[in-house]
Amino acid sequence: MSATILDGKTVAAAVLDRVRRGAASLLERTGARPGLAVVLVGDNPASEVYVRNKTRRAEECGFASRLVALPASVGRDELLARIGELADDPAVHGMLVQLPLPDHLDAREIQRAVPPDKDVDGFHPLNAGKLLLGDDDGLVPCTPLGVIALLDHYEIPLAGRDVVIVGRSNIVGKPLFHLMLSRHATVTVCHSRTRELAATCARADVLVAAVGVPGLIRGEHVRPGAVVIDVGINAVDDPAQAEDLLAGQPRRLERFRRRGRALVGDVHFGEAREKAGAITPVPGGVGPLTVALLLDNTLRAARRALGVPA
Ligand code: GUN
């Protein structure tokens, strides 16, 4: 059996199209564009790519986007002051501080300086608490929202299904647990201390991998016919590892041999595809949805700030 490929690019394009129309309608009704501010500290190359992607997509959707780039040496007080300016600026409806931050900064303190109603990452404790309590007026982290958008698009039901999430991060695993629970799934969260990982995963109707370990999930972890969602994005440059993880994908392996680098997920795609009923690729699965849902969150925040119903 070969699995249906769940195409995140198509689903993201549909979300972005809806967001673009929403932004145009907001502009017509209020004269205001949704405003997104992204704070980038230092010169982490991966963060630079992510941030560029966020601001570029925001502009494509008709948003006013602002990048505040600060040196890695920026002090706590200066960073908090810049965040405070954005927090007070009525043209900024959504804002985020790109992670990771340099070691001398306390990420928890910095994240808490973002006002909850502009916290389009959904990382503020107030928004995390609202998600826990099932209040639907909070802002929810974008990657878990992207997973749900993908499942909804392909009409994959969750109520009563067994969902296994591998990974307990604050950004993906924990919020996704609550979203899945609110959709009436029976949810198990696995992590580094889980015993019998393969057997637990192999019980899942829907298996989500979000740990950041390249190829951790192999064929033996996948129940025949299961839906496999791979949230991992890992850069691999070790040839032996790439030959293993890209086995069964000759074109990607060929490209690795030319470039010496490949992006892979937490799932061994070649093995999992043989058993799954449906599976996301990496790249091109959950990744494109994260930015689309960030902009959707920003549009929601803007509508709320401007008193415009959806
Ligand atoms: N770094 C990696 N993922 C994220 C994210 O979702 N938000 C922010 N702010 N930084 C990140």
Side-chain angles (χ1 to χ4, degrees):
M1 181 169 59
S2 207
T4 302
I5 303 299
L6 303 174
D7 177 9
K9 284 189 258 180
T10 303
V11 184
V15 173
L16 289 170
D17 197 47
R18 182 167 48 75
V19 169
R20 199 174 300 118
R21 282 185 277 115
S25 153
L26 189 75
L27 180 63
E28 203 176 287
R29 291 167 78 168
T30 67
R33 294 177 188 279
L36 174 66
V38 178
V39 179
L40 174 64
V41 181
D43 49 14
N44 178 314
S47 291
E48 283 173 352
V49 172
Y50 290 137
V51 161
R52 203 177 322 127
N53 207 6
K54 289 172 187 181
T55 53
R56 189 190 308 144
R57 288 263 182 267
E59 277 154 27
E60 284 168 10
C61 284
F63 287 24
S65 93
R66 195 180 309 174
L67 172 62
V68 178
L70 301 168
S73 59
V74 70
R76 165 193 177 272
D77 294 349
E78 168 70 10
L79 178 56
L80 288 174
R82 300 301 292 270
I83 291 172
E85 285 166 19
L86 297 171
D88 291 341
D89 185 338
V92 173
H93 304 111
M95 53 188 282
L96 65 91
V97 181
Q98 187 66 25
L99 301 176
L101 287 171
D103 288 344
H104 68 279
L105 296 165
D106 176 355
R108 276 170 33 129
E109 180 188 32
I110 299 302
Q111 282 170 338
R112 282 164 201 205
V114 174
D117 56 346
K118 295 191 179 188
D119 167 39
V120 284
D121 260 336
F123 294 166
H124 191 283
L126 189 73
N127 284 319
K130 285 184 173 181
L131 179 61
L132 176 106
L133 296 173
D135 286 9
D136 60 10
D137 67 341
L139 288 161
V140 176
C142 314
T143 301
L145 281 179
V147 172
I148 298 291
L150 191 71
L151 294 171
D152 283 351
H153 179 90
Y154 285 96
E155 298 183 347
I156 293 167
L158 290 168
R161 313 287 297 282
D162 284 318
V163 173
V164 173
I165 301 168
V166 185
R168 55 177 159 177
S169 68
N170 290 337
I171 296 183
V172 184
K174 285 184 204 165
L176 187 57
F177 168 82
H178 294 293
L179 290 175
M180 292 287 193
L181 201 58
S182 71
R183 297 296 191 94
H184 313 291
T186 302
V187 194
T188 303
V189 180
C190 298
H191 46 79
S192 52
R193 306 278 180 92
T194 298
R195 289 179 287 164
E196 311 285 355
L197 178 68
T200 305
C201 291
R203 289 204 300 269
D205 298 310
V206 177
L207 176 60
V208 183
V211 266
V213 179
L216 176 74
I217 303 300
R218 314 284 303 211
E220 61 172 330
H221 296 76
V222 179
R223 173 176 170 162
V227 175
V228 178
I229 307 290
D230 190 351
V231 180
I233 302 179
N234 312 292
V236 166
D237 55 14
D238 175 53
Q241 192 181 24
E243 297 280 337
D244 171 26
L245 297 181
L246 298 176
Q249 302 182 74
R251 292 224 304 267
R252 295 207 58 209
L253 200 46
E254 184 57 36
R255 203 172 319 138
F256 173 83
R257 289 181 184 135
R258 271 187 278 118
R259 295 188 183 171
R261 189 173 182 276
L263 286 184
V264 300
D266 293 345
V267 175
H268 189 297
F269 185 79
E271 287 185 13
R273 178 179 54 183
E274 294 304 314
K275 290 182 76 181
I279 187 167
T280 59
V282 175
V286 177
L289 280 157
T290 296
V291 177
L293 272 299
L294 172 72
L295 301 184
D296 193 48
N297 271 351
T298 306
L299 177 61
R300 287 186 57 199
R303 282 182 177 141
R304 202 165 309 145
L306 296 163
V308 174

